[in-house]
Amino acid sequence: MEKYRLALIGPGHLNGIVAQAYQDGLLPEFELVGVLGRSDERTRTFAEHFNCQACATIEELMALKPDFTSEAASPQAVRDYSEHVLRSGSNLVVVTAGAFADADLYQSVQQTARETGKRVYIASGAVGGFDVLRTAALMSPIKATMTSKKSIRSLFYSPLFKSHYPFITEPERAFTGSTTEAIQQLPFHYNVAVATALASAGPDQTTLNIDVVPDFVGDDYKIEIEGDEIKTELNIYSRTPRIAGWSIVAALQNAVAPIVF
């Protein structure tokens, strides 16, 4: 059986999970062909470990003729590479969905996918239940709210940090606003919020609350959806960011599966 060629954008921890899953036989329909990264040394080390080609430019990566490209790098990588990947004949799996809070970028990538006949798969990251969210949004207008618990340390270098946070003993709300407003302040923290918003009411219409919690470890998300005919609540806790890498593996499996859940 001819295998789908898989390329990776980003030689970091998350795509490392994807590459390891491939080596462990969890992606038997795929052949890992190359990886692109900003650091030559890190990219070469990754490529040598996982037996694929290290690439310095997106043109070099696309020259490998991938059928699927997994992005796990940054919002800027999504902006810079998405349309090039699609026009090169590759489907794209995106985990840094925060870039799509930019409505113009989202519409442009969507149009390019239509023109090329390729697909963009948004990996669920640390959340889930996209099927329920999309179904609810189709049934009637909905109100969508996501509440996130974050550690004091995770906000330390962000605009949301306040000097008294290291001394709090009870949870305190650090932010409330639209998902679009949140991602502008925390572009690397709320990819999951944008992915959830895109699957439900949209980034401008989805409210995001961020609570800073003393001694908290991990990521905790509560998603509330309410419409005329449906009301649902999803609670997801992840002790580590590894779930985001595994969500890419799940997206790749679903993309080529004969039965999709």
Side-chain angles (χ1 to χ4, degrees):
M1 179 184 72
E2 186 175 353
K3 296 190 175 185
Y4 297 99
R5 296 169 67 81
L6 173 63
L8 308 177
I9 297 175
H13 180 60
L14 298 185
N15 267 336
I17 291 173
V18 177
Q20 189 61 55
Y22 163 76
Q23 281 199 343
D24 291 343
L26 297 178
L27 295 168
E29 298 89 353
F30 291 88
E31 175 190 2
L32 181 59
V33 294
V35 59
L36 168 66
R38 291 184 299 177
S39 166
D40 290 343
E41 182 178 356
R42 188 175 187 182
T43 304
R44 282 197 304 270
T45 299
F46 186 103
E48 289 170 3
H49 183 76
F50 293 110
N51 193 29
C52 63
Q53 183 172 326
C55 298
T57 66
I58 190 64
E59 290 80 10
E60 189 178 352
L61 189 69
M62 291 299 100
L64 300 176
K65 302 296 182 183
D67 301 293
F68 288 85
T69 301
S70 164
E71 175 280 324
S74 68
Q76 192 60 50
V78 177
R79 296 185 191 99
D80 291 344
Y81 301 142
S82 290
E83 294 186 57
H84 192 121
V85 168
L86 295 169
R87 294 195 185 282
S88 297
S90 176
N91 299 290
L92 177 65
V93 180
V94 173
V95 77
T96 316
F100 290 141
D102 180 339
D104 290 339
L105 174 66
Y106 182 73
Q107 294 298 327
S108 180
V109 171
Q110 186 178 61
Q111 182 59 34
T112 301
R114 286 199 181 102
E115 292 173 359
T116 58
K118 298 302 172 183
R119 289 186 174 181
V120 178
Y121 300 86
I122 297 179
S124 60
V127 295
F130 285 178
D131 54 342
V132 175
L133 302 183
R134 293 183 65 242
T135 301
L138 288 171
M139 292 172 66
S140 67
I142 59 172
K143 178 183 178 181
T145 303
M146 171 182 273
T147 301
S148 170
K149 294 179 182 179
K150 302 298 282 185
S151 69
I152 296 169
R153 182 179 179 181
S154 71
L155 296 180
F156 190 80
Y157 294 105
S158 80
L160 300 185
F161 184 79
K162 296 180 181 177
S163 60
H164 71 277
Y165 281 169
F167 309 103
I168 63 174
T169 57
E170 298 291 334
E172 185 172 320
R173 182 139 296 173
F175 176 87
T176 186
S178 72
T179 300
T180 300
E181 293 168 338
I183 204 69
Q184 289 170 351
Q185 297 189 54
L186 300 160
F188 292 99
H189 286 70
Y190 283 96
N191 297 305
V192 292
V194 173
T196 300
L198 291 172
S200 56
D204 291 330
Q205 288 76 41
T206 299
T207 299
L208 176 64
N209 302 315
I210 302 172
D211 293 338
V212 59
V213 181
D215 301 320
F216 182 75
V217 176
D219 289 297
D220 185 285
Y221 299 98
K222 178 181 179 181
I223 303 167
E224 298 171 277
I225 299 293
E226 185 171 359
D228 294 340
E229 298 182 68
I230 188 170
K231 182 177 181 180
T232 188
E233 182 178 302
L234 302 172
N235 291 276
I236 303 100
Y237 170 77
S238 175
R239 186 175 60 85
T240 73
R242 284 171 50 80
I243 189 173
W246 284 106
S247 75
I248 301 172
V249 177
L252 288 166
Q253 288 180 337
N254 262 345
V256 299
I259 299 176
V260 179
F261 291 94

